[in-house]
């Protein structure tokens, strides 16, 4: 099974809040069969969806398309208007050159914005020399389009440019105050303005940006605090985040923090955002309306995710946009090209999701993947374990054969079911010969496919025969504090036609909501979690929304859901929205995402901490993009996640959940094993933990902790460095250092504290050289907390002794493996 991020434009309505959306035009829908004429959409070279124009403005729309058929497109082929708004008199344009199978072409048409303010979309296809229409998608019949917004209230303009004002900000790192501009390579961290920064995909942005590098220490950071800015309703902050082109070891975390003068502070959603070099970049657009009328200091913050080596990060065209200003609009940024290495999930050949096994049963998992990139996968490529439950599998396994573009391959790993009962999922990706991770998705959710099994029955010894698979079973999500599907009919469902029944009736023109068991996603895959099928009222700009009873939010709570169109709802084009209301105050929008049917889905994971301590009424809203016919929109597994939660309560406000801190000597038989096969070591970590990444030389495991204090996160940081002399975890911030022996292994134990300007990292680390090698293995435990001075009324301090009590137990499970 796979997870793919939707590339549908989230600019369907200009005032909507938009999360990160990849601009890599990789809505890569390849033809499922060998067609003579078939196209693949690669990018909007100009005029991305939602571009704003004044009435009558002229512009040139350019699409980049790839010939994925078997016939050459000649200059007798044409780009042709099909339906929607024509935006000018042109109905056909000849292709500029011949395009052989596998080649790409940029096709353009001159257009004029309509005279009336509204949103417009025009659909286009290609026509061959015989007059036969064809297009994109699995049937080679889909349209591609141009979509614009015509505004009569003045242009959308830049009212504050963070790149131009960079040296008005105070730049600091853990080394103190930094000069602006800085010096490239300064180990203290630096900032440089670039006129045309080169993004990860190799495209030079037409707008200025900031090249920044954190302080050259583990988890080093750099930040810029800008002078106060008076926000107006409708203002939005927009930026591109990307590693610099060629900075292949770049791995950073971006944040935009805010401080209301004499008021509250925090981090803007959807930040923080982690970015690893993978050839794509991402655009953030954040609605600032909630700060209207207030003076706000914004902070651009970037930190190294572990080692700072090669962390050259870009803030591309960071600006505040205001509706109705008379300043020149922001130029359009070109969309990126497709990457060399890219895969498409074709099927679970063995062990479909939900297959049931006895404890300790051995099995082989096989996925079928297709090479939809441009590079051949050689036997130097690997399938690699990423996170979740490894199930005794290898950290990596080489490809069995070379796979040319367009070919498929079956990749297998031998696994063993865990001893304990429950539902287990392990995430896997691909790695090329250069060590770069890639896969079926290049968005922020990362490119992972997975194996998911259910273990039932008494604990068994290894070697127990595997039972006959029983097929998918519903997955009980751990950590669910509130389940929107279970409580579906506790909500009040309405549309423009009034109050709706719950459950509704499929096809009701007034709109309807229904519970789906094992919903089928746009990809065709079946998800074992229940979902909500929502269809807006069948009218232009129709909507449906369900308002749930009040729920008491806690710090660290997160709204999570997959959002997509139902499988085969090919005309679906909607806006998903999460709204909220506190008491009798005016309802507000927390998050919005535009989605059109293109064979992919998007996972929303939203931090609700800004609402902590309040009784909040959440509303799930779906709006038709234009006409609601066929808008079958699905929320899959919508819930509020809380670390440590084990049940899904009703609407009654929930008490604080405090994860138990396991003392030394605890039975670890039900713990999960972290295993590094290249350097042959392993250790265990407790239930409730999450592996965020794992490779041969690095890894991170987030541990459960008590929320509601200054502690922000607790995690294990794994590092392997060959040839390190001396073998140690950190060169900075060390408080104590000495040798300890654990399980017959002598470690250098270090403790330390790093950080400044609002963030504190307390750590203890254990380092040892793997026998008969030069590999230095370090296991560090990090407590990342906030400085109390960040808050007008700070949360209580955390109990460092209690939070650290689990560390010796984890280290007691460390061992060199054979």
């Amino acid at each position: 099974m796979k997870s793919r991020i939707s590339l549908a434009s989230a600019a369907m309505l200009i005032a909507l809040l938009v999360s990160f959306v990849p601009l890599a035009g990789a809505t890569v829908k390849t033809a499922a069969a060998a067609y003579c004429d078939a196209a693949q959409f690669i990018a909007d070279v100009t005029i991305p969806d939602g571009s704003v124009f004044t009435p009558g403005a002229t512009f040139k729309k350019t699409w980049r398309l790839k010939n994925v058929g078997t016939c050459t497109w000649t200059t007798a082929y044409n780009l042709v208007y099909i339906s929607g708004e024509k935006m000018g008199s042109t109905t056909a344009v000849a292709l500029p050159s011949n395009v052989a199978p596998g080649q790409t072409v940029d096709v353009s048409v001159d257009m004029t914005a309509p005279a009336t303010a509204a949103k417009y979309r025009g659909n286009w296809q290609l026509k061959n020399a015989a007059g036969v229409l064809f297009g994109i998608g699995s049937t080679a019949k889909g349209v591609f389009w141009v979509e614009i917004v015509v505004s009569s209230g003045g242009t959308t303009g830049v009212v504050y440019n963070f790149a131009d004002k960079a040296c008005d900000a105070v730049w600091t790192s853990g080394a103190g105050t930094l000069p602006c501009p800085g010096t490239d390579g300064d180990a203290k961290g630096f900032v440089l303005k670039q006129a045309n920064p080169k993004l990860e995909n190799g495209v030079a942005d037409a707008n200025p940006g900031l090249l920044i590098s954190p302080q050259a220490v583990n988890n080093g950071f750099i930040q810029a605090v800008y002078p106060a800015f008076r926000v107006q309703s409708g203002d939005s902050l927009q930026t591109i985040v990307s590693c610099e082109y060629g900075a292949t070891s770049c791995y950073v975390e971006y944040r935009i923090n805010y401080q209301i003068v004499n008021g509250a502070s925090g981090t803007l959603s959807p930040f923080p955002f982690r970015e690893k070099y993978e050839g794509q970049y991402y655009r953030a657009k954040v609605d600032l309306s909630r700060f209207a009328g207030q003076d706000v200091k914004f902070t651009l913050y970037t930190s190294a995710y572990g080692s700072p080596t090669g962390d050259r990060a870009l803030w591309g065209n960071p600006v505040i946009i205001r509706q109705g200003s008379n300043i020149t609009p922001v130029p359009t940024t070109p969309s990126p090209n497709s990457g060399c290495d890219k895969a498409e999930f074709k099927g679970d050949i063995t062990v479909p999701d939900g297959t049931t096994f006895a404890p300790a049963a051995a099995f082989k998992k096989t996925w079928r993947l297709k090479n939809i990139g441009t590079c051949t996968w050689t036997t130097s490529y690997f399938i690699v374990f990423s996170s979740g439950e490894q199930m005794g599998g290898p950290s990596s396994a080489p490809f069995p054969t070379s796979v040319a573009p367009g070919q498929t391959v079956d990749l297998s790993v031998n696994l063993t079911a865990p001893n304990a009962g429950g539902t287990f999922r392990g995430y896997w990706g691909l790695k090329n010969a250069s060590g770069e991770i890639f896969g079926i998705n290049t968005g922020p959710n990362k490119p992972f496919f997975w194996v998911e099994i259910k273990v039932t029955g008494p604990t068994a010894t290894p070697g127990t025969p595997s039972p006959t698979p029983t097929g998918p079973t519903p997955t009980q999500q751990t950590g669910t504090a509130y389940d929107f599907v279970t409580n579906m009919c506790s909500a009040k469902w309405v549309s423009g036609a009034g109050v709706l029944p719950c459950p509704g009736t499929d096809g009701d023109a007034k709109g309807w909501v229904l519970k789906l068991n094992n919903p089928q996603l746009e990809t065709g895959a079946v998800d074992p979690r229940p979902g909500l099928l929502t269809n807006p009222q069948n009218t232009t700009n129709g909507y449906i929304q369900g308002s749930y009873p009040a729920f008491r939010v806690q710090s660290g709570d997160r709204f999570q859901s997959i959002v997509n169109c139902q499988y085969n709802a090919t005309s679906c084009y909607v806006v998903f929205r999460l709204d909220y209301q506190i008491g009798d105050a005016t309802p507000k929008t927390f998050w919005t995402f535009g989605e059109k049917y293109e064979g992919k889905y998007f996972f929303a994971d939203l931090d609700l901490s800004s609402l902590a301590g309040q009784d909040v009424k959440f509303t799930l809203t779906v709006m038709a993009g234009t006409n609601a016919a066929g808008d079958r929109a699905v929320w899959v597994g919508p819930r509020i996640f809380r670390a440590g939660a084990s049940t899904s309560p009703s609407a009654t406000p929930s008490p604080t959940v405090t994860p138990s801190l396991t003392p030394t000597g605890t039975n670890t038989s039900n713990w999960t094993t972290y295993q590094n096969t290249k350097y042959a070591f392993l250790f265990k970590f407790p239930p409730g933990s999450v592996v965020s990444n794992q490779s041969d030389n690095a890894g991170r495991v987030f541990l459960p902790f008590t929320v509601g204090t200054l502690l922000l996160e607790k995690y294990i940081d794994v590092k392997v460095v060959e040839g390190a002399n001396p073998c140690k975890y950190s060169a900075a911030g060390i408080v104590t250092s000495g040798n300890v022996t654990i399980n017959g292994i002598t470690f250098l134990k270090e403790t330390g504290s790093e950080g400044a300007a609002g963030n504190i990292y307390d750590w203890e680390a254990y380092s040892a050289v793997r026998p008969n090698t030069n590999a230095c293995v370090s296991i560090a435990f990090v407590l990342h907390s906030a400085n109390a001075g960040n808050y007008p009324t700070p949360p209580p301090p955390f109990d460092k002794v209690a939070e650290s009590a689990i560390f010796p137990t984890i280290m007691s499970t460390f061992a060199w493996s054979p």
Side-chain angles (χ1 to χ4, degrees):
M1 192 170 181
K2 65 178 180 177
S3 169
R4 304 194 69 173
I5 186 169
S6 171
L7 300 181
S9 168
M12 296 166 65
L13 297 175
I14 191 64
L16 296 180
L17 167 67
V18 178
S19 183
F20 282 100
V21 181
L23 295 182
T27 49
V28 286
K29 294 177 66 179
T30 57
Y35 293 98
C36 168
D37 288 315
Q40 177 186 341
F41 172 79
I42 298 298
D44 288 311
V45 179
T46 66
I47 321 300
D49 288 357
S51 296
V52 181
F53 292 96
T54 55
T58 58
F59 60 93
K60 183 186 291 285
K61 172 65 185 182
T62 302
W63 298 271
R64 182 165 295 155
L65 303 174
K66 182 177 181 179
N67 183 345
V68 293
T70 59
C71 295
T72 296
W73 304 343
T74 69
T75 53
Y77 283 51
N78 284 271
L79 169 71
V80 293
Y81 165 75
I82 297 298
S83 61
E85 184 66 35
K86 190 162 47 175
M87 304 185 212
S89 58
T90 303
T91 58
V93 176
L95 295 192
S97 62
N98 290 345
V99 186
Q103 292 183 339
T104 60
V105 64
D106 289 356
V107 289
S108 304
V109 60
D110 292 320
M111 296 183 173
T112 302
T116 303
K119 181 179 65 179
Y120 297 93
R121 172 173 161 172
N123 298 315
W124 294 72
Q125 284 183 309
L126 298 173
K127 183 192 292 184
N128 67 18
V132 177
L133 293 172
F134 67 96
I136 65 175
S138 59
T139 62
K141 295 180 180 178
V143 298
F144 42 95
W145 54 80
V146 55
E147 182 178 279
I148 67 169
V149 175
V150 177
S151 173
S152 60
T155 60
T156 302
V158 176
V159 292
Y160 195 85
N161 190 309
F162 292 88
D164 290 343
K165 302 287 187 181
C167 292
D168 291 347
V170 177
W171 289 86
T172 60
S173 72
T177 303
L178 302 175
C180 180
T183 302
D184 197 332
D186 189 341
K188 296 178 180 178
F190 64 87
V191 57
L192 293 169
K193 180 181 176 182
Q194 293 190 334
N196 301 108
K198 198 169 185 181
L199 307 176
E200 280 188 42
N201 67 317
V203 173
D205 195 352
N207 307 289
L210 297 174
L211 169 64
I212 56 93
S213 183
Q215 183 187 11
V217 297
N218 197 55
N219 298 318
F221 72 93
I222 184 173
Q223 66 177 12
V225 181
Y226 282 77
F229 174 85
R230 177 64 60 88
V231 178
Q232 294 185 17
S233 180
D235 285 357
S236 63
L237 193 157
Q238 302 180 16
T239 186
I240 287 171
V241 293
S242 168
C243 293
E244 187 181 36
Y245 180 70
T248 54
S249 60
C250 173
Y251 194 7
V252 295
E253 180 175 282
Y254 290 87
R255 297 183 198 171
I256 300 180
N257 298 328
Y258 67 88
Q259 171 71 64
I260 300 172
V261 176
N262 299 320
S265 62
T267 299
L268 295 178
S269 178
F271 296 92
F273 177 76
R274 290 173 184 158
E275 163 65 349
K276 189 173 184 179
Y277 192 93
E278 24 70 305
Q280 309 291 332
Y281 62 85
Y282 307 95
R283 173 170 287 170
K285 179 181 177 184
V286 184
D287 187 357
L288 301 178
S289 294
R290 62 179 167 138
F291 303 119
Q294 301 183 87
D295 294 323
V296 182
K297 294 182 179 180
F298 293 102
T299 298
L300 303 185
Y301 177 98
T302 308
S303 61
Y305 195 61
S307 169
T309 304
D311 285 344
R312 299 175 66 86
L314 295 173
W315 292 91
N317 192 35
V319 293
I320 295 176
I321 300 293
R322 178 167 298 161
Q323 287 290 112
S325 69
N326 293 316
I327 303 173
T328 304
V330 183
T332 302
T333 301
S335 296
N337 298 320
S338 300
C340 164
D341 289 313
K342 190 175 295 182
E344 179 179 68
F345 175 85
K346 301 303 291 183
D348 289 309
I349 303 305
T350 65
V351 193
D353 286 357
T355 299
T356 300
F357 290 102
F363 63 96
K364 177 177 286 190
K365 173 65 185 183
T366 303
W367 299 271
R368 180 164 294 163
L369 302 175
K370 182 177 181 180
N371 184 345
I372 59 170
T374 57
C375 291
T376 296
W377 303 341
T378 69
T379 52
S380 296
Y381 282 50
F382 288 81
I383 179 173
V384 293
F385 174 73
S386 172
S387 63
E389 178 59 53
Q390 194 167 357
M391 304 185 205
S395 294
S396 62
F399 275 35
T401 184
S402 294
V403 187
Q407 293 182 340
T408 60
V409 63
D410 289 353
L411 298 177
S412 303
V413 289
N414 293 315
L415 304 174
T416 303
N419 284 323
T423 298
F424 300 90
R425 176 181 286 189
Y427 292 88
W428 296 74
L430 304 175
K431 182 166 66 174
N432 66 19
S434 300
E436 297 170 335
I437 301 296
F438 71 101
I440 61 174
N441 163 21
T442 53
N445 288 344
K446 299 307 175 190
F448 306 132
F449 41 96
W450 61 75
V451 54
E452 182 177 278
I453 66 169
K454 185 175 182 180
V455 178
T456 61
T459 301
T461 56
T464 301
S466 172
T468 302
T470 59
T473 57
T475 299
Q476 177 65 42
Q477 297 190 88
T478 59
T480 299
Y482 191 82
D483 189 319
F484 289 86
V485 178
T486 300
N487 295 288
M488 176 181 76
C489 291
S490 298
K492 180 180 179 181
W493 291 90
V494 300
S495 72
V499 179
L500 303 175
C502 181
T505 302
D506 196 330
D508 188 344
K510 296 178 181 179
W512 77 85
V513 59
L514 292 170
K515 177 182 176 181
L516 294 178
N517 291 319
N518 301 316
Q520 193 170 12
L521 308 176
E522 277 190 44
T523 61
V526 174
D527 195 292
R529 298 166 298 175
L532 297 175
L533 172 60
T534 51
N535 200 108
Q537 181 187 9
N538 192 10
T539 183
T540 300
N541 298 319
Y543 72 92
I544 184 174
Q545 59 185 190
S547 298
Y548 284 76
F551 174 86
R552 175 68 60 85
V553 177
Q554 295 182 16
S555 179
D557 284 356
R558 307 185 73 85
F559 174 83
Q560 297 180 340
S561 178
I562 283 176
V563 292
N564 72 158
C565 296
Q566 191 177 34
Y567 183 65
N568 273 340
T570 55
S571 60
C572 173
Y573 189 15
V574 296
V575 173
F576 289 89
R577 202 172 71 193
L578 178 67
D579 301 324
Y580 70 97
Q581 182 181 21
I582 300 172
D584 296 326
T586 302
K588 297 181 179 180
T589 295
F590 194 87
W591 168 83
T592 301
F593 184 76
E595 165 71 350
K596 51 197 170 191
Y597 192 92
E598 25 64 308
K600 301 173 175 58
Y601 60 83
F602 176 77
F603 178 64
D605 185 13
L606 312 173
D607 188 357
L608 302 177
S609 295
S610 61
L611 305 175
Q614 303 184 82
D615 295 326
V616 182
K617 296 178 182 178
F618 289 101
T619 298
L620 304 184
T621 299
V622 174
M623 299 178 294
T626 48
N627 193 317
D631 283 345
R632 301 173 68 89
V634 182
W635 306 78
V636 179
R639 65 168 180 168
I640 294 176
F641 168 81
R642 177 175 299 159
S646 58
T647 59
S648 179
S650 64
T652 305
S654 302
T656 301
V657 177
T658 303
S660 60
L661 299 170
T662 309
T664 303
T666 292
N667 184 348
T668 62
S669 61
N670 67 332
W671 286 22
T672 302
T673 299
Y674 180 109
Q675 187 168 15
N676 185 311
T677 55
K678 179 175 180 179
Y679 295 103
F681 65 88
L682 57 85
F683 61 86
K684 291 186 175 183
F685 54 85
S689 305
V690 176
V691 179
S692 67
N693 68 289
Q694 182 180 356
S695 65
D696 290 336
N697 295 92
R700 183 161 294 188
V701 182
F702 285 95
L703 301 171
F705 64 95
T706 302
V707 298
T709 72
L710 287 170
L711 188 60
L712 301 177
E713 56 187 4
K714 179 168 76 173
Y715 57 87
I716 306 171
D717 192 28
V718 181
K719 291 200 308 183
V720 182
V721 179
E722 293 190 3
N725 187 15
C727 175
K728 60 189 303 181
Y729 174 70
S730 177
I734 299 173
V735 176
T736 66
S737 178
N739 290 337
V740 297
T741 300
I742 302 173
N743 296 333
I745 304 170
T746 300
F747 292 90
L748 173 65
K749 179 182 178 182
E750 303 167 284
T751 65
S753 183
E754 299 178 47
N759 290 277
I760 301 170
Y761 297 86
D762 294 306
W763 54 269
E764 66 178 70
Y766 300 80
S767 303
V769 175
R770 178 69 169 92
N772 302 316
T773 75
N774 67 344
C776 174
V777 178
S778 295
I779 310 296
F781 301 94
V782 182
L783 299 173
H784 174 199
S785 60
N787 191 315
N790 291 354
Y791 306 89
T793 304
F798 68 97
D799 187 334
K800 185 176 180 181
V801 173
E803 294 290 356
S804 302
I806 193 73
F807 300 162
T809 307
I810 295 173
M811 280 306 301
S812 72
T813 68
F814 184 94
W816 302 122
S817 47

